[in-house]
Amino acid sequence: EVRDGVAVITMNNPPVNGLGNALRKALMELLQKAEADPAAKAAVIVGSAKAFSGGADIREFGKPREKPDLFEVNDQQDAMRKPLVAAIGGFALGGGLELALACHYRVAAPRTQLGLPEVKLGILPGSGGTQRLPRLVPMALAVEMMTTGNPIPAEKAQQLGLIDEVVA
C-alpha cells in the first residue's frame, strides 16, 4: 500500500519470513509496482517485529527453484530509481540480510541481529552478500561475518556502516 507517498511492502511468511518462491515473486511484483506508481516517491520493505527475514525457506530445500531467484529480486532492487529502504526488526539473516543489503538505506530496531549464517550449513551467501557486505563494513568484519556465520547487533552494525540508523 502507498502511505504518504511511500510504497510499504510488508513481508508476511511466518514464522521467519522465509524467502520462498511465493514471497520472492510477490517482492518482485511489488517492487515493480512501486517503481511504476507515480504516487509512490519511495518504497520500504518491512518484515515483522520478530523477523525481517530469516533467509531461504528451508521447507523448499531440495525442491526445484522457481523464478525469480533472490538475485533477480536484488537486480530489481538495484534498478529502482526511487529510494528503497529496509526496515529491519528482529533479525535479518542470510538471504534476509542480502535483501536488506540491496536496499539504498537500512534502518533497524534496537536488538536486531544481522548475519550471514549460511557457512554453518556448508554454503556461501548466494545473492550478493559476499560483494555488498564488504562495500559497507571493514573488510575484516565482512570476512569474519561470512566465515563464522555469527550475527552482529544493530548497534554495532550502525557503528560500522551496515545499518544507517537504529530506531525504536
Side-chain angles (χ1 to χ4, degrees):
E1 68 180 299
V2 177
R3 287 189 238 155
D4 298 322
V6 177
V8 179
I9 300 169
T10 304
M11 296 184 287
N12 184 19
N13 186 21
V16 296
N17 284 322
L19 295 168
N21 295 330
L23 184 52
R24 291 191 314 271
K25 184 177 180 183
L27 282 168
M28 180 71 92
E29 291 170 1
L30 293 170
L31 288 166
Q32 291 169 344
K33 183 178 177 181
E35 182 68 17
D37 187 344
K41 304 300 180 208
V44 60
I45 301 174
V46 181
S48 67
K50 176 185 172 187
F52 178 74
S53 174
D57 190 334
I58 60 171
R59 296 173 291 197
E60 294 181 0
F61 280 19
K63 294 181 181 177
R65 299 285 298 221
E66 295 177 24
K67 298 289 183 180
D69 282 317
L70 184 56
F71 69 84
E72 292 170 301
V73 175
N74 295 155
D75 286 347
Q76 177 62 42
Q77 291 173 268
D78 286 338
M80 297 285 289
R81 293 182 309 274
K82 297 176 182 179
L84 179 61
V85 177
I88 307 166
F91 54 82
L93 300 173
L97 180 55
E98 290 174 310
L99 182 68
L101 287 169
C103 291
H104 302 123
Y105 196 81
R106 286 159 296 285
V107 297
R111 295 178 298 285
T112 293
Q113 296 287 309
L114 304 113
L116 296 169
E118 295 92 328
V119 71
K120 293 181 178 187
L121 299 175
I123 56 178
L124 295 173
S127 189
T130 56
Q131 292 82 38
R132 295 178 200 272
L133 186 62
R135 293 180 192 153
L136 295 173
V137 303
M139 181 63 73
L141 176 65
V143 170
E144 180 182 332
M145 287 178 70
M146 289 182 278
T147 58
T148 67
N150 296 331
I152 62 171
E155 294 77 5
K156 180 177 181 180
Q158 181 183 18
Q159 293 168 356
L160 297 167
L162 175 55
I163 295 296
D164 296 290
E165 195 169 341
V166 175
V167 294

